[in-house]
Structures are given as structure tokens and as C-alpha cells.
Amino acid sequence: MNDILDKLAATLEARKGANPETSYVARLYAQGLDAILKKVGEEAAETLIAAKGGERGQLVYEVADLWFHTLVLLASQGLGPRDVLAELARREGVSGIVEKASRRES
């Protein structure tokens, strides 16, 4: 499953040099961080609405959009899915309560 994330990350990286006239992702990069953040917010809201609607297929569709745009955000900041996966791996086996408390102490 990491293969699709790696492929998508590579594509998003390649789109940094693409023509914004012909590439949606290049257009988002060209519009800047605020445009990317707005899109992530829109997709998050659509995900919430889909979850409330109870249509499993629609929820999967919206989460895919949210993940995609979150990956665009990460790429725009010089990060990728491996950074997030490494953080999730770091948290594995750690109580959510303990992990959250450690953030307050830092």
C-alpha cells in the first residue's frame, strides 16, 4: 500500500515543475499555501458531511480527496507521506493519553 503513496508523492513532486495551465497540482502550487490550505479545509468539510450522510462509498471518495490534498500540502512544505508514516510508527504502542501529554510538556 505504501507503493501508491510513494508513486503519488513522486508525481506531486514532479508537478512542482509543471505548467499551471495544464496541471491542477501545479496550479495549486502556483497559487500558494493559502490556496492549498483552503482546498484541504474544503475537503475536510466534505469528508465530515459524507460521514454524517452514511454513504460508505461517498466517504471513501471524500477521504481520498482529503488525503490527496493533504499530500499536496505536505509536498508544498518539502514533506511527504514517509514523514507522516514515520511519525505514526513512532506513536505505535504509545497510549494516546501519554502521547498527548508529552506534547504539552515539550
Side-chain angles (χ1 to χ4, degrees), residues 9-60:
T11 298
L12 295 176
E13 198 61 35
R15 293 296 188 268
K16 288 181 177 178
N19 182 347
E21 299 292 323
T22 59
S23 168
Y24 170 74
V25 173
R27 188 174 322 134
L28 279 176
Y29 289 144
Q31 291 173 343
L33 182 59
D34 285 348
I36 295 168
L37 294 174
K38 180 180 177 186
K39 195 63 187 168
V40 170
E42 289 172 6
E43 297 303 340
E46 290 172 7
T47 298
L48 298 176
I49 292 166
K52 286 291 282 181
E55 294 284 332
R56 292 168 52 98
Q58 189 64 32
L59 178 58
V60 168

Side-chain angles (χ1 to χ4, degrees), residues 32-100:
L33 182 59
D34 285 348
I36 295 168
L37 294 174
K38 180 180 177 186
K39 195 63 187 168
V40 170
E42 289 172 6
E43 297 303 340
E46 290 172 7
T47 298
L48 298 176
I49 292 166
K52 286 291 282 181
E55 294 284 332
R56 292 168 52 98
Q58 189 64 32
L59 178 58
V60 168
Y61 182 88
E62 295 300 344
V63 169
D65 278 352
L66 177 58
W67 285 14
F68 176 84
H69 288 90
T70 301
L71 289 170
V72 171
L73 171 61
L74 287 170
S76 78
Q77 302 298 300
L79 298 166
R82 289 185 178 264
D83 297 294
V84 176
L85 293 172
E87 176 60 16
L88 290 172
R90 183 191 69 78
R91 294 182 188 185
E92 184 179 9
V94 176
S95 159
I97 294 169
V98 171
E99 195 281 327
K100 191 170 185 173

